[in-house]
Amino acid sequence: MQVFEKINKVISVITKIFMIICFSYMTIALSIQVFGRYIFNAGFSWTEESARYIMIWSVFIGAAYIALNLEHVKVSLIEDALKKASHREVLHIVQHVISLIFVVIVLCYGFMQLSIASLSRSANTGQSMLFPYMVFPVAFILLTYAYFYRLVKSILKMKNRQEGESEL
């Protein structure tokens, strides 16, 4: 489990730095767009489009960061209704399994989308749409790892609790 913890920390740091870079780029690109329109009465087509693609990347990579560190918003109505810790642990395992199945399905479709995206070009800049669509495999690989990590951690937590109860 220590290996998972180290990988988790590395991925967390990398995703934080990536998101800082993304938001910094968006701020600079959109500022250029605003000043360009104000000074030259004409904007630059690349700023708006590139900022949009970077926003997409930051949202999906941010989702992976949030899932990895359990910082997402959740509705805990069912969890709060369960009195026993063992029942809550089973619920967590079920949640992680369902989430893992979902992200693996989206990951598979993300790879299929890459072949279509490589043939498409963006309207403003004429660049390949491969970069915007590459976010799906990258983010969902990270999400797959995050939910797998959480699943293993929940199973080990439940196993350790059961072993502790059996010793009593």
Side-chain angles (χ1 to χ4, degrees):
M1 199 63 194
Q2 290 177 353
V3 172
F4 278 126
E5 295 290 338
K6 287 180 182 179
I7 293 171
N8 188 11
K9 286 181 183 178
V10 169
I11 291 174
S12 292
V13 168
I14 290 170
T15 53
K16 275 185 189 177
I17 291 170
F18 181 80
M19 288 185 293
I20 290 169
I21 291 169
C22 285
F23 283 108
S24 299
Y25 175 81
M26 285 188 297
T27 302
I28 292 167
L30 294 176
S31 296
I32 290 171
Q33 176 76 350
V34 168
F35 290 123
R37 285 185 184 202
Y38 181 72
I39 295 171
F40 302 117
N41 291 329
F44 303 103
S45 63
W46 62 270
T47 56
E48 194 174 331
E49 190 170 284
S50 64
R52 184 179 320 122
Y53 297 151
I54 295 298
M55 172 69 89
I56 293 167
W57 271 85
S58 63
V59 166
F60 279 94
I61 299 301
Y65 172 82
I66 288 168
L68 191 61
N69 295 295
L70 285 180
E71 294 180 5
H72 52 336
V73 175
K74 67 178 182 175
V75 178
S76 60
L77 185 67
I78 297 172
E79 186 178 340
D80 293 342
L82 298 173
K83 302 294 182 208
K84 288 187 173 183
S86 61
H87 294 159
R88 285 192 299 273
E89 290 169 357
V90 170
L91 178 64
H92 289 157
I93 291 171
V94 170
Q95 290 171 339
H96 297 318
V97 168
I98 291 170
S99 298
L100 187 59
I101 291 169
F102 172 75
V103 296
V104 168
I105 290 169
V106 175
L107 177 64
C108 292
Y109 280 102
F111 279 117
M112 287 190 278
Q113 285 292 89
L114 286 181
S115 61
I116 297 168
S118 65
L119 303 174
S120 302
R121 298 273 174 210
S122 71
N124 289 339
T125 61
Q127 297 296 316
S128 172
M129 292 298 288
L130 196 59
F131 174 73
Y133 280 89
M134 185 66 80
V135 72
F136 292 109
V138 172
F140 281 90
I141 285 171
L142 291 173
L143 280 163
T144 301
Y145 167 77
Y147 285 116
F148 178 76
Y149 166 76
R150 290 292 163 201
L151 178 62
V152 169
K153 192 168 183 175
S154 294
I155 291 170
L156 290 176
K157 181 180 176 184
M158 190 168 79
K159 181 181 173 188
N160 290 339
R161 190 190 52 75
Q162 287 174 347
E163 287 175 356
E165 286 178 358
S166 66
E167 290 176 3
L168 297 176

